[in-house]
Amino acid sequence: MNATLFRRVAALTLCLVALAGCATHRATAALPRHAVLLVSIDAFRANYVERGLTPNLAALARDGATTPYMLPSFPSLTFPNHYTLVTGRVPDRNGIVNNTMRDPALGRFSLSNHAATSDGRWWAQAEPIWVTAQKHGLRTATMYWPGTEAAIHGVRPDHWIPFDDTLTSRQRVDKLLLWIDEPGAKPAFDTLYFDAVDHAGHEFGPDSPQVDTALREVDDALGYLVAGLRDRGLLDATDIVVVSDHGMADVPRGNIVFADDETDLDAIDPVSWGVMATFAPKPGVDGAKAVARLLGPHEHMRCYRKDTLPARLDYGRNPRVPDILCLADTGWAITSRATLAARTAPMSRGEHGYDNLDPAMRALFVARGPDFARGVTIAPFPNVDVYPLLAHLLRIAPLPNDGDLNRVKGALAPAAAAQGQFP
Ligand SMILES: [Zn+2]
């Protein structure tokens, strides 16, 4: 029995058991499923759209649904938030708690450590939607997304390639279209990832002409994607969801907090630097005084024990979060003098990772397709809601998550909003 048939029989059985549920199940089965294409423009700050440099994105919003901004989850970093978008769980509950982290059993994780990023055990605290889709018998193609290089719960996307940041934005579109063109069943779920805006934002700052150039490049690739789908007759059969993971804040030169000026770094163990610096106890060393100094007042930085973080950050219960966290004020970064001296590149002129409610961290959401309303703007919502939305579009049951489909149902076309799943 194939998966679709199985689901229909299961739904029918449910109908016989509970007659009240029949109408819902019939409605769900009757609606066609459209392909879902999730596009990330890394570090596209919500108000970048006001620059008028992204006409193709503006056209998608005009023909579809958008919001003034989407709230990232804490910490407003790339891997944690990309995993939140596809699992619906905040980083503290999806296991990707930072771009750089440690696990007692698995060792060290960092973005440049391919052995770690491709090891499914790091990702196994949650299940990304492409894995759930595959388990439902749907085909998936991921033209980059954090986690897609790993077999998570033993499952990989049908199509994926190792991350290579030398591919231009257009080349990434070409690769995805090649997969879509392959004979046989087309992917039901695709991802596409652009990092040009993030790179320019870090190196030159969010207000730089280089960010403007990157915005034009990525928008050109979006236009190229839309044209490619239209040429294939797929544009109006595809739900395109364009998001970003977080925004970008300007960091003036010299806005550095040196942790070694604030405490004794020989007595504690730094795990990660940046906007959020994290520290673990050093084995065999009494770090009490160093910790007490960190927890005291500082200019442009505030430190916490992980169990005393503000509740609204929803962070600090995961064993992968080190004991002490220091969060820089917006526009500042934390490092040590030795770490700075070892850097080959200057400090970034743009950063993210700050408090997720900071307006500079606000993210993008634009969606267009047969299941979306046309020309609507809905109220801002947290990015945990993207996952139940994707599950709804794919007609698969979402796994337990932190999101709420009701907060985003205003983005849906009436028929899509009316079907099943909404209480
Ligand atoms: Zn990012």
Side-chain angles (χ1 to χ4, degrees), residues 42-43 78 198 245-246 352:
D42 197 317
T78 298
D198 181 66
D245 48 352
H246 50 71
H352 51 87

Side-chain angles (χ1 to χ4, degrees), residues 39-107:
V39 182
S40 166
I41 309 175
D42 197 317
F44 191 113
R45 196 170 71 191
N47 66 3
Y48 283 168
V49 296
E50 295 164 14
R51 296 186 183 185
L53 303 173
T54 49
N56 291 303
L57 186 63
L60 289 176
R62 210 164 42 239
D63 293 345
T66 189
T67 181
Y69 59 89
M70 181 170 72
L71 283 171
S73 298
F74 184 82
S76 52
L77 295 168
T78 298
F79 268 44
N81 272 281
H82 274 89
Y83 211 42
T84 291
L85 287 161
V86 294
T87 61
R89 294 189 186 198
V90 296
D92 207 43
R93 286 188 284 282
N94 71 33
I96 305 300
V97 299
N98 202 330
N99 289 337
T100 302
M101 55 184 172
R102 286 186 199 158
D103 180 284
L106 302 176

